[in-house]
Amino acid sequence: MLKYELIPAQLLHEGLIEESNLFSPGVPDEEEILWTHDKSYWEHLRDLTLPPREQRRTGFPLSAKLIEREIRIAKGTIDGCNYAKQFGIAFNVAGGTHHAGTNWGEGFCLLNDQAIAANYLLNNNLASSILIIDLDVHQGNGTAQIFENNPKVFTFSMHGANNFPFRKERSDLDIPLPDGVEDDKYMQLLKKTLPSLIGQQQPDFIFYLSGVDVLATDKLGKMALSNAACKERDRFVFEQCIRNKIPVQVSMGGGYSPNIKDIVDAHCNTYRVANELYF
């Protein structure tokens, strides 16, 4: 949790951003949540009545502060979409809560921020074709389930085959990777896949989940990527967005290296690359 404070602090310290580049989200309208999540599930969260078994699945004890945090994260991603349409790119320092499905939460995810924001764009006629690029080490199972019958949203997840969640959903495109995958193989697959995928789908908006739990140092990841390769991954994704003139909203996703400096540096690299390419 500490990384959410340290990332903006580090970016300010480097002079990469100014205070004016930061925004604090409010809360979304309940209707905006219900475009994505089941009404009964949302009301259980809102009223703090989620059954204990379902609470345990999320990994968090339910509290009013937790629910406020979740809905502000979702609103931050919604706001980020509007900024991305204006400036080409925008970030949520948190977010990437891709394990939350229509009527469930799990894996530290209660509401799916990028799914909520994607439905916000569609329902307000701000986008008609959306691509979600999920490069967190864990499959975006909740996102896949939410959009499984929605042809306007294409879900792409490149993740560890043997990692959580152990019951996978079906994304529009899944690339499951073996344990211990290294830099060259990972980047080869991404470079082979992403340009043609964008060409086929012709999205007018992209969501990018830039988890850094792909690092070799990550205690939950089971992959073997270097910090340099993780940074190259981000650069390649942004280059495709720029080349195709598609706005992109970025949520940070997971990162669980034992040394907090490794996590923060890898996440900050995503901002460093974006700053270099966009500004």
Side-chain angles (χ1 to χ4, degrees):
M1 297 296 284
L2 183 60
K3 73 178 183 179
Y4 302 120
E5 299 176 26
L6 294 179
I7 291 169
Q10 179 63 29
L11 297 173
L12 287 165
H13 174 72
E14 292 180 19
L16 199 69
I17 64 171
E18 300 175 355
E19 288 285 354
S20 61
N21 298 129
L22 297 170
F23 68 92
S24 297
V27 298
D29 295 334
E30 192 168 63
E31 180 186 32
E32 293 170 343
I33 296 170
L34 295 178
W35 284 334
T36 297
H37 291 285
D38 176 79
K39 188 172 188 290
S40 175
Y41 171 65
W42 160 243
E43 288 176 349
H44 280 308
L45 289 177
R46 182 196 65 195
D47 301 337
L48 307 181
T49 57
L50 197 68
R53 182 178 179 180
E54 294 183 41
Q55 288 189 49
R56 288 193 294 272
R57 185 178 178 185
T58 71
F60 288 130
L62 208 57
S63 69
K65 280 283 190 183
L66 176 64
I67 300 307
E68 181 183 2
R69 178 181 184 273
E70 291 290 309
I71 62 177
R72 286 187 185 274
I73 286 173
K75 181 62 171 173
T77 298
I78 289 172
D79 291 349
C81 291
N82 294 319
Y83 285 120
K85 287 176 72 68
Q86 183 179 357
F87 298 109
I89 190 168
F91 285 79
N92 190 333
V93 174
T97 46
H98 59 164
H99 298 311
T102 301
N103 62 353
W104 83 79
E106 69 176 357
F108 310 122
C109 304
L110 279 76
L111 297 172
N112 193 312
D113 68 300
Q114 291 189 324
I116 289 171
N119 279 322
Y120 165 85
L121 291 176
L122 294 173
N123 282 287
N124 286 284
N125 297 313
L126 297 171
S128 59
S129 178
I130 291 171
L131 173 62
I132 298 180
I133 302 169
D134 189 333
L135 300 186
D136 193 272
V137 81
H138 304 108
Q139 192 213 29
N141 60 319
T143 310
Q145 180 268 332
I146 288 167
F147 294 117
E148 60 185 344
N149 296 314
N150 189 335
K152 294 182 178 180
V153 180
F154 191 99
T155 54
F156 165 42
S157 181
M158 194 159 119
H159 54 265
N162 302 313
N163 213 318
F164 179 90
F166 301 108
R167 179 186 176 278
K168 306 289 195 291
E169 300 289 337
R170 181 176 293 179
S171 308
D172 292 303
L173 176 60
D174 284 304
I175 300 181
L177 299 172
D179 293 352
V181 69
E182 296 181 343
D183 295 1
D184 290 346
K185 179 65 173 177
Y186 185 95
M187 288 305 304
Q188 180 185 17
L189 281 168
L190 183 61
K191 289 179 177 180
K192 177 183 177 183
T193 303
L194 188 57
S196 59
L197 180 58
I198 292 174
Q200 291 163 10
Q201 295 302 313
Q202 295 289 302
D204 50 21
F205 198 92
I206 286 176
F207 290 91
Y208 176 37
L209 206 170
S210 61
V212 301
D213 40 13
V214 295
L215 292 175
T217 55
D218 198 274
K219 61 186 179 183
L220 301 180
K222 301 184 181 180
M223 288 191 189
L225 266 65
S226 66
N227 197 359
C230 193
K231 186 176 183 180
E232 182 187 358
R233 174 201 71 173
D234 296 337
R235 179 181 299 277
F236 186 73
V237 171
F238 295 149
E239 285 174 343
Q240 304 314 302
C241 295
I242 292 168
R243 181 170 294 125
N244 292 280
K245 300 179 180 178
I246 305 169
V248 57
Q249 185 279 329
V250 188
S251 289
M252 303 318 293
Y256 312 97
S257 296
N259 189 336
I260 189 70
K261 288 176 65 177
D262 293 334
I263 301 172
V264 172
D265 186 52
H267 277 309
C268 285
N269 274 340
T270 312
Y271 291 83
R272 293 171 185 131
V273 169
N275 185 68
E276 177 187 333
L277 293 177
Y278 283 87
F279 305 109

